[in-house]
């Protein structure tokens, strides 16, 4: 899908094979983290970049897909296990995606004891990531000999072979950082968007293989830049409330159209979208209480009834062309034959049972807290 830009002074064909034979998350997170670091340093990084800094960046990059969106990294993945073991104080700027450049997240992680994961990642990843540049020279080597060979080769052939980087010492026990080749820094600065897109695509393919049934994986790999506005969806439900009295399905409180909050029945952190078929009005306090929990089965029937009510009332009070735009996600996502089918209570109940109940089970298995009841 991605053709990396050519450069006469660099071996782009080798560079494009950085992720070959990758069976865990490490190389993807490692390279993406290198890109983040050099961009943050405005591509002025001829001085060493420490393993410690890279691995903190890796953990920060892994936090959103693993901890927030609860994606699966693989049974043996140590990055995910380390994140699970940390006692991180996650503040609102992080949760609300206002932690620009993951600064607070990186600081929070840095304050923890991560010596074990630094040692684990540093043992292989920095060396194996540039091994493709020396594939011929290290072919047939015993695994225990590869790292030492890569250290020597990357240093001795730094100017003629031009690997992505070399290590900062001659013996592995003394290696604590990498040193980028200046030509690669220039290449990455010039082609950052394309290279970042290529690495993200490779990361996506890896994660989709491990999360085949999870919705919207593509939007869960990185920190969202911001949440989309719910103004259109709020306008829809306020219109319904203008013509129909509605009680909150959780608290049974009569709703006031001027003081409603829209609830994602399936948590946003699971679906990563704001489709109208998953949104219902509630009170701000109830919505805050529910957070990203999965509601109890006792609310499901009322949820479906409310959606059906919203569809029928809105149809009678919204111009048809606007109504069709509102309900397009119902038709496309639920694959109903025609919009009029949404008025049929039996059809819409069956549609929700077929689509949402398996997703609730999947989200619960993925780690989202289930059976939430408003108290």
């Amino acid at each position: 899908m991605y053709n990396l830009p050519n450069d006469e002074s660099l071996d782009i064909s080798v560079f494009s094979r950085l992720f070959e034979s990758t069976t865990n998350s490490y190389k993807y997170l490692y390279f993406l983290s290198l890109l983040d670091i050099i961009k943050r340093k405005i591509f002025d990084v001829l001085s060493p970049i420490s393993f410690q800094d890279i691995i903190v960046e890796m953990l920060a990059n892994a936090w959103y897909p693993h901890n927030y969106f609860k994606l699966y990294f693989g049974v043996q993945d140590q990055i995910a296990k380390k994140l699970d073991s940390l006692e991180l104080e996650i503040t609102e700027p992080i949760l609300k995606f206002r932690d620009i450049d993951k600064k607070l997240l990186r600081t929070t992680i840095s304050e923890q004891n991560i010596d074990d994961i630094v040692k684990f990642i540093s043992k292989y990843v920095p060396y194996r990531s540039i091994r493709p540049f020396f594939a011929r020279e290290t072919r047939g080597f015993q695994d225990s000999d590869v790292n030492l060979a890569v250290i020597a080769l990357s240093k001795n052939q730094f100017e003629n072979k031009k690997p992505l980087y070399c290590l900062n010492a001659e013996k592995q026990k003394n290696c604590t950082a990498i040193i980028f080749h200046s030509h690669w820094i220039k290449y990455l600065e010039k082609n950052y968007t394309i290279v970042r897109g290529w690495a993200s695509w490779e990361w996506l393919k890896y994660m989709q293989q491990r999360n085949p049934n999870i919705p919207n994986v593509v939007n869960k790999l990185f920190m969202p830049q911001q949440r989309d506005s719910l103004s259109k969806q709020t306008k829809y439900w306020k219109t319904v409330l203008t013509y129909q009295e509605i009680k909150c399905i959780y608290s049974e409180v009569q709703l006031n159209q001027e003081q409603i909050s829209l609830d994602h029945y399936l948590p946003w952190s699971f679906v990563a979208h704001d489709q109208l078929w998953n949104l219902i009005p509630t009170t701000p306090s109830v919505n805050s209480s529910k957070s990203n929990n999965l509601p109890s089965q006792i609310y499901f029937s009322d949820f479906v009834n409310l959606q059906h009510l919203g569809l029928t009332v809105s149809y009678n009070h919204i111009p048809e062309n606007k109504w069709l735009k509102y309900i397009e996600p119902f038709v496309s996502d639920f694959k109903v034959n025609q919009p009029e089918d949404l008025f049929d209570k039996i059809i819409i109940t069956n549609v929700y049972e077929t689509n949402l109940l398996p997703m609730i089970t999947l989200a619960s298995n993925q780690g989202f807290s289930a059976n939430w009841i408003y108290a």
Side-chain angles (χ1 to χ4, degrees):
M1 180 174 180
Y2 281 86
N3 291 319
L4 293 172
N6 194 29
D7 188 298
E8 293 183 358
S9 68
L10 299 170
D11 194 335
I12 304 302
S13 64
V14 168
F15 180 66
S16 68
R17 298 197 296 271
L18 289 186
F19 303 123
E20 282 187 353
S21 304
T22 302
T23 58
N24 52 52
S25 71
Y26 311 142
K27 285 184 181 179
Y28 302 106
L29 289 169
Y30 178 80
F31 183 71
L32 286 164
S33 296
L34 290 180
L35 291 179
D36 285 351
I37 290 170
I38 64 174
K39 184 182 181 184
R40 189 162 59 246
K41 294 179 178 292
I42 320 176
F43 300 92
D44 183 17
V45 286
L46 297 183
S47 56
I49 303 175
S50 72
F51 293 167
Q52 177 86 13
D53 287 347
I54 298 170
I55 293 162
V56 166
E57 195 85 26
M58 289 173 68
L59 290 166
N61 276 326
W63 189 88
Y64 280 99
H66 177 67
N67 292 67
Y68 187 86
F69 292 111
K70 302 187 187 303
L71 294 183
Y72 178 63
F73 278 34
V75 67
Q76 295 181 322
D77 195 280
Q78 298 301 311
I79 290 284
K81 290 181 180 179
K82 184 60 183 178
L83 283 170
D84 289 338
S85 72
L86 297 179
E87 296 181 2
L88 302 178
E89 185 176 340
I90 302 303
T91 60
E92 185 173 289
I94 297 172
L95 293 174
K96 299 295 184 181
F97 315 136
R98 293 194 295 267
D99 181 18
I100 305 302
D101 198 28
K102 310 181 298 292
K103 184 177 181 180
L104 288 175
L105 189 53
R106 285 186 284 112
T107 300
T108 302
I109 292 170
S110 297
E111 292 171 349
Q112 298 280 307
N113 182 358
I114 60 170
D115 292 346
D116 54 345
I117 192 67
V118 170
K119 182 179 179 180
F120 176 81
I121 296 296
S122 301
K123 187 175 182 180
Y124 292 107
V125 178
Y127 314 98
R128 306 309 166 93
S129 291
I130 56 169
R131 187 181 182 183
F133 287 94
F134 309 105
R136 181 179 58 81
E137 294 90 334
T138 61
R139 186 176 295 116
F141 275 36
Q142 291 186 8
D143 195 63
S144 59
D145 296 329
V146 170
N147 288 0
L148 186 59
V150 168
I151 293 170
L153 289 164
S154 65
K155 192 172 186 65
N156 296 335
Q157 300 190 33
F158 198 57
E159 293 307 326
N160 63 316
K161 201 91 172 189
K162 295 186 177 68
L164 186 63
Y165 56 78
C166 65
L167 287 303
N168 71 329
E170 295 182 359
K171 294 183 178 180
Q172 184 173 352
K173 66 179 182 178
N174 298 326
C175 289
T176 58
I178 65 170
I179 303 171
F180 263 96
H181 196 290
S182 60
H183 287 201
W184 278 109
I185 290 295
K186 292 178 182 177
Y187 176 86
L188 293 173
E189 181 177 15
K190 180 180 179 181
N191 303 294
Y192 180 85
T193 301
I194 297 175
V195 174
R196 175 83 190 195
W198 163 70
S200 299
W201 173 248
E202 296 294 327
W203 176 221
L204 172 61
K205 289 194 294 182
Y206 171 86
M207 290 298 283
Q208 282 184 325
Q209 289 176 351
R210 280 145 188 81
N211 299 270
N213 299 313
I214 302 302
N216 220 355
V217 172
V218 65
N219 289 323
K220 299 177 179 180
L221 296 184
F222 305 100
M223 180 186 73
Q225 295 303 301
Q226 62 181 13
R227 289 282 295 272
D228 293 334
S229 168
L230 294 176
S231 58
K232 291 182 179 179
Q233 298 90 327
T234 301
K235 184 177 180 180
Y236 167 89
W237 278 111
K238 282 187 174 182
T239 300
V240 175
L241 280 161
T242 300
Y243 299 98
Q244 177 69 50
E245 290 187 351
I246 294 176
K247 289 185 177 181
C248 168
I249 69 168
Y250 306 118
S251 66
E252 298 185 358
V253 170
Q254 194 78 37
L255 296 176
N256 179 342
Q257 66 169 303
E258 300 305 321
Q259 294 179 321
I260 62 168
S261 180
L262 293 191
D263 165 57
H264 291 75
Y265 190 77
L266 288 171
W268 183 87
S269 50
F270 176 69
V271 295
H273 65 61
D274 300 310
Q275 300 291 39
L276 196 56
W277 54 258
N278 187 49
L279 291 168
I280 55 171
T282 184
T283 66
S285 61
V286 171
N287 197 19
S288 177
S289 175
K290 180 170 175 285
S291 187
N292 66 341
N293 296 311
L294 294 164
S296 167
Q297 180 70 21
I298 65 173
Y299 299 117
F300 185 75
S301 179
D302 289 337
F303 168 73
V304 175
N305 290 339
L306 181 52
Q307 287 287 3
H308 180 257
L309 179 66
L311 289 165
T312 54
V313 173
S314 63
Y315 178 76
N316 292 322
H317 298 284
I318 295 176
E320 185 175 8
N321 61 331
K322 289 186 177 181
W323 184 81
L324 289 172
K325 289 182 179 179
Y326 273 125
I327 61 93
E328 186 176 334
F330 288 86
V331 177
S332 60
D333 293 354
F334 291 161
K335 297 179 174 57
V336 298
N337 294 325
Q338 52 192 1
E340 291 76 14
D341 287 346
L342 297 172
F343 300 137
D344 189 315
K345 188 69 171 296
I346 296 176
I347 289 178
I348 195 171
T349 298
N350 181 63
V351 160
Y352 269 105
E353 288 178 347
T354 301
N355 288 275
L356 253 68
L357 292 182
M359 293 177 73
I360 291 172
T361 300
L362 180 60
S364 177
N365 292 338
Q366 196 182 345
F368 287 86
S369 180
N371 298 314
W372 174 85
I373 295 177
Y374 181 68

